[in-house]
Amino acid sequence: MHKSECQGGVQLRSRVSGNCNQRTSTGTQVQQRTTIQGSKSSSSSTSSPESARKLHPRPSDKLNPKTINPFGEQSRAPSALAAIYSKGGIPCRLVHGSVKHRLQWDCPPENLPFDPLLITLAEGLRETRHPFTFVSKEGFRELLLVQGAPEKAVPLLPQLIPVLKAALVHSDDEVFERGLNALVQISVTVGPSLNDHLKHLLTSLSKRLRDKKFKEPITSVLQKLEQHGGSESLIIIKSKIPTYCSICC
C-alpha cells in the first residue's frame, strides 16, 4: 500500500472520529442546556404563587368560590332552605325516631306565615342532603294540611310554580319524585286555582313520560290534577299530553 493512501485513510478516520466527537459533544451540550432549562422552568413554576397555592392551599381558599371545583359535590351552592335552616331560620327541628323521623314545630304550623316559609320549603325539594331532604318535603306537606292553607297558598302560586318546575326538571330521580308529590299536594290544596299555571309544569312531565319507570307515577299525578282541577284541567293536560286518558273515560 502506498504511503499516500495510508495517510489518506488516517486523515479520513480522523475526520470521521472528529465529527462523531463533535456531534457527541454538541448533543451533550444540548441535553445539558435542556436539563438546565427544564430545571429552571420546574423551579420557577414550583416557586410561583399560583403553584404554591395548588400544592399548599390556604385555609381561606376553601371559602373562595374561584378555587372550588364547580363539578364537585361540596361546591354546590346550598339552597335557600339549607342556608336558612343552618341559621335556625326554619321554625321546626328534626326529631329522630326509632322507626321514622318527624318534625317538631316551634309553634303550631297554622300560626306560621306561608310567605316566605312555604316557598323556602319548596326550594328545598331540590336538596339531596340529609336532613334538608326530609325537612323540605315533610314541612311542605304539613303546612298545606293546616286550616286556612288554601287562602294562604293561592296568592303564592306565581312564586311556587317556578320552584316546583325546577324540581320537576332536576336530573336526580328522587328530587323529581319529591316534585311530583309536592305538585299533587298543592293541587289538593288550591284545586282549580292551579289551572292557570298548569301548562308551565306539564312540559317537564311530558318529557319524563318517555322513561318507562316514571310512566305510571306521572299518569297517577295527571289523574289527580284532573280530579282536583276539574274539566278545565283536562283540556290543559290534553293540550300538552295528547296521549293522556281522562279518569272519566
Side-chain angles (χ1 to χ4, degrees), residues 28 54 61 84 115 121:
T28 302
K54 291 180 179 179
D61 285 345
I84 296 173
D115 187 7
L121 291 169

Side-chain angles (χ1 to χ4, degrees), residues 181-198:
N181 292 332
L183 177 56
V184 171
Q185 291 157 8
I186 197 68
S187 175
V188 171
T189 302
V190 304
S193 297
L194 184 62
N195 290 340
D196 292 337
H197 311 274
L198 197 54

Side-chain angles (χ1 to χ4, degrees), residues 184-213:
V184 171
Q185 291 157 8
I186 197 68
S187 175
V188 171
T189 302
V190 304
S193 297
L194 184 62
N195 290 340
D196 292 337
H197 311 274
L198 197 54
K199 61 181 180 180
H200 300 294
L201 302 172
L202 292 176
T203 301
S204 56
L205 296 187
S206 176
K207 292 180 180 179
R208 289 277 187 151
L209 271 172
R210 301 169 189 171
D211 191 335
K212 292 182 179 180
K213 66 182 175 182

